[in-house]
Amino acid sequence: FNHIVGYSLSGVEEKTAEISGGKWLPAYNDRMHQLKLNEMFTWKAWTITGSWHLGSGLPMINLSADNSSAEVERTDFFSQLDLALVRKFDSRHFSANAGISLLNIFNRKNIVEVNYLRFQSEDGSLTARSDISALGFTPLFFINFRFQ
């Protein structure tokens, strides 16, 4: 068994003079809490791995029409569980690894970044928000050969 556990607590703020009177607001990548758990078990030629990443939501800043005030909300929390099973094959002339990885097995829509676009014209302005999400459930099959 191999275990890796990591936790981070952080905060990121930024200030723009034209937005909310120059007040400090959470930055687009402000994910305050992150927990990562990784496990690997090897038995003979088999390896099983699991990785779980849990994080707090990213900030969404809702600006007033004249940019004088802002409300901060957060996206849903981030949670992704990945599993893999690998079999190793050895012979005199080559070695190979074959297996399957299952990414995001709970198929959550995990938002990894929130972007904002501002469109302005003589009639006014419009702000559009774009959420960039991680992959949904994705099975991967693989074979690696190595000749000796």
Side-chain angles (χ1 to χ4, degrees), residues 8 17 53 59 62 66 68 71-72 81 90 97 127 130 142 145:
S8 66
H53 179 186
N62 300 320
D66 62 357
S68 63
E71 290 182 24
V72 179
L81 178 63
D90 284 319
N97 289 323
T127 302
S130 171
F142 60 90
F145 289 102

Side-chain angles (χ1 to χ4, degrees), residues 58-71:
L58 292 171
M60 298 182 301
I61 300 170
N62 300 320
L63 297 172
S64 62
D66 62 357
N67 293 338
S68 63
S69 64
E71 290 182 24

Side-chain angles (χ1 to χ4, degrees), residues 54-116:
L54 181 66
S56 55
L58 292 171
M60 298 182 301
I61 300 170
N62 300 320
L63 297 172
S64 62
D66 62 357
N67 293 338
S68 63
S69 64
E71 290 182 24
V72 179
E73 297 178 38
R74 295 238 171 218
T75 61
D76 287 340
F77 67 94
F78 184 101
S79 177
Q80 182 167 327
L81 178 63
D82 303 329
L83 300 174
L85 177 64
V86 179
R87 171 78 160 91
K88 184 175 183 180
F89 302 93
D90 284 319
S91 80
R92 184 176 177 180
H93 300 291
F94 77 93
S95 64
N97 289 323
I100 181 172
S101 293
L102 303 174
L103 305 178
N104 196 4
I105 64 171
F106 296 131
N107 200 27
R108 282 186 46 93
K109 182 182 177 184
N110 289 312
I111 297 174
V112 294
E113 189 174 325
V114 178
N115 287 331
Y116 295 93

Side-chain angles (χ1 to χ4, degrees), residues 13-26 68-70:
E13 291 183 333
E14 58 190 4
K15 178 169 70 168
T16 305
E18 296 83 20
I19 297 177
S20 192
K23 294 179 184 171
W24 288 95
L25 296 172
S68 63
S69 64

